Amino acid sequence: ARYWGGRAPSARVRSLPVNALGLAWMDRDLLDALELASPQRQREVAIWATRRACVVARLDTVDWIAEGLAAVERGDPAPPPLDDPLAAWNRLFADRRVSKTTVTSPDGTPNCSQQAMALPALFAVAGLDPLAAAVETVFCAATAYGPDHPRLLADARSLLGR
């Protein structure tokens, strides 16, 4: 319970292969709300959080990323290079049109690439498990928001009616 924000999570949350613990440290109540949401609502939150991550990091202004974001919002598979994480990372760092901004992460680590914090949301959003997708994309968006992450988390809670 001490590691999870004061109360132990369910076995389901503990078994998620994503940053559930990181999200619990930022907003334990939001983690619980995501678990209680329907799979459809979890998927909606994942798509919403992915868009928010891309917008705050200005990834939505780069054509190949914007196309990938539009595809996942439609429920389609991500197009190349976003269908291959290694290729996507390589292109992210090679493409001169990608903004290069840094933020302090929610845990206080300075000089983190905002774009590198946001990109994993595009990999997680289409995951087979809607809860894992929602938890990971909200975590990615929160880290991309840096010091402004409380605003994103409040918006996510509001989206869930909390």
Side-chain angles (χ1 to χ4, degrees):
R2 180 175 51 143
Y3 292 115
W4 289 91
R7 58 189 180 280
S10 69
R12 168 108 168 86
V13 168
R14 282 192 313 272
S15 72
L16 291 174
V18 296
N19 286 301
L21 184 58
L23 185 57
W25 288 344
M26 286 188 264
D27 192 326
R28 183 64 172 83
D29 292 334
L30 177 57
L31 180 61
D32 290 341
L34 287 170
E35 183 180 19
L36 293 173
S38 70
Q40 178 181 350
R41 193 68 168 146
Q42 292 165 347
R43 187 67 65 197
E44 291 167 357
V45 169
I47 291 168
W48 170 87
T50 301
R51 169 144 305 270
R52 294 285 296 263
C54 288
V55 168
V56 77
R58 293 189 293 277
L59 293 177
D60 65 321
T61 65
V62 180
D63 59 355
W64 61 274
I65 298 173
E67 291 167 12
L69 181 58
V72 298
E73 287 178 329
R74 289 190 307 268
D76 295 340
L82 293 169
D83 62 342
D84 175 356
L86 181 58
W89 283 114
N90 288 335
R91 185 145 180 208
L92 179 81
F93 292 121
D95 191 333
R96 293 178 187 207
R97 297 169 301 159
V98 174
S99 295
K100 307 245 185 296
T101 53
T102 60
V103 294
T104 297
S105 72
D107 71 1
T109 305
N111 300 322
C112 296
S113 166
Q114 192 172 39
Q115 291 69 37
M117 293 174 136
L119 185 67
L122 282 162
F123 307 138
V125 68
L128 296 176
D129 180 342
L131 176 58
V135 169
E136 184 69 4
T137 57
V138 170
F139 177 82
C140 291
T143 59
Y145 265 68
D148 292 333
H149 73 277
R151 181 169 50 103
L152 173 94
L153 298 174
D155 290 349
R157 282 191 311 277
S158 179
L159 190 63
L160 290 164
R162 301 283 175 165

